[in-house]
Amino acid sequence: AQSVTQPDIHITVSEGASLELRCNYSYGATPYLFWYVQSPGQGLQLLLKYFSGDTLVQGIKGFEAEFKRSQSSFNLRKPSVHWSDAAEYFCAVGITGNQFYFGTGTSLTVIP
Amino acid sequence: DAEITQSPRHKITETGRQVTLACHQTWNHNNMFWYRQDLGHGLRLIHYSYGVQDTNKGEVSDGYSVSRSNTEDLPLTLESAASSQTSVYFCASSEAGEGNQPQHFGDGTRLSIL
C-alpha cells in the first residue's frame, strides 16, 4: 500500500540556518513526488515536484529536494531559512488517477 | 488567473444539521477532490470526481456526499453533521493524469459542529 511518512512533527531553526525536512514514501511503482507549503489560514501551495530524471529538483522560494530511490526518500532542503518560511510543509505521492497521499506534515518555526 | 474558491471560509453549526460546503474552480480541470485536515492526520481524501456525473469515495467518505453537475463545481454535503466532522476542509483540482499532475488547492473551510 502507498504511504508517506514525515518523521518530524515540528522543527525549529534559526533564521539564516540551513533546513532539511524529511519525507519517506512507500509505493510499488515509480513515484511522482511533491512538496507543498501551507501558511496559516491558507491552502496548500506547490513548492516542487519530482517525476523522473535528475534526482535533485529545484522549486520556488529557494527550496530544493533530492530523490533517493535506495532510501525511498524525498527530503526538502533550503540553504538559508527566512522568517517567512515558517509554515506547515507536506510531502505527497501521486498515484493512479492523480490521487495524492499526503504525509502528516512538518511544522516549521523560525527563530529570529 | 485561474483559481479555486471555497465558501464559506468559516461555519458553525449544530449536530444533526445538513451542511453543504461549496467549491468552485476556474481551471477547467476534470479532476476535483475534497480533503479534511486534522492535527496528526495530515490531509485525508473524502471524495473525488473525474468529471461531470462522476463521483468516487475516498478514505474517509462516511457521512459525506458530493455531486458533480458541471465542470466547475463540486459541493460537499454533510448529511447529518456530527462533532467528529469538525475539521478544516480543502477542495483541490487537477488535470487528468496518473499522479503526475499537481493539485491546486482552495483556502479551506473551517467547520465547527457543536
Side-chain angles (χ1 to χ4, degrees), chain A residues 4-99:
Chain A
V4 176
T5 301
Q6 293 181 248
D8 303 307
I9 295 174
H10 185 252
I11 284 182
T12 299
V13 300
S14 298
E15 192 169 15
S18 63
L19 171 70
E20 183 169 27
L21 302 182
R22 297 183 291 165
C23 172
N24 293 98
Y25 68 90
S26 173
Y27 186 53
T30 300
Y32 299 115
L33 297 163
F34 303 81
W35 274 100
Y36 284 84
V37 60
Q38 182 184 30
S39 298
Q42 297 187 10
L44 279 69
Q45 179 186 17
L46 179 68
L47 281 176
L48 48 78
K49 58 190 177 186
Y50 171 78
F51 297 159
S52 64
D54 194 348
T55 57
L56 185 64
V57 294
Q58 303 297 319
I60 63 172
K61 304 186 180 188
F63 285 93
E64 65 179 26
E66 185 172 14
F67 171 66
K68 293 185 178 181
R69 185 183 297 275
S70 62
Q71 299 178 19
S72 297
S73 69
F74 187 55
N75 293 349
L76 182 71
R77 302 196 294 245
K78 187 169 185 178
S80 177
V81 171
H82 188 262
W83 64 266
S84 61
D85 293 324
E88 187 91 14
Y89 291 82
F90 292 93
C91 181
V93 60
I95 67 168
T96 303
N98 221 57
Q99 294 179 50

Side-chain angles (χ1 to χ4, degrees), chain A residues 32 36 38 41 51 90 97-98, chain B residues 9 37 50 94 100-101 103:
Chain A
Y32 299 115
Y36 284 84
Q38 182 184 30
F51 297 159
F90 292 93
N98 221 57
Chain B
R9 290 297 312 278
Q37 183 180 26
Y50 291 141
S94 78
N100 58 336
Q101 297 297 328
Q103 293 188 8

Side-chain angles (χ1 to χ4, degrees), chain B residues 101-113:
Chain B
Q101 297 297 328
Q103 293 188 8
H104 302 264
F105 285 80
D107 285 337
T109 294
R110 183 174 295 275
L111 178 63
S112 298
I113 300 168

Side-chain angles (χ1 to χ4, degrees), chain B residues 7 18-23 34-36 46-47 60-61 63-67 73-79 89-91 111:
Chain B
S7 61
Q18 184 181 78
V19 178
T20 296
L21 308 183
C23 175
W34 271 105
Y35 297 89
R36 61 177 289 173
I46 304 172
H47 280 286
V60 291
S61 61
Y64 303 94
S65 64
V66 293
S67 62
D73 299 290
L74 187 70
L76 176 71
T77 296
L78 287 67
E79 303 293 344
Y89 291 85
F90 287 97
C91 180
L111 178 63

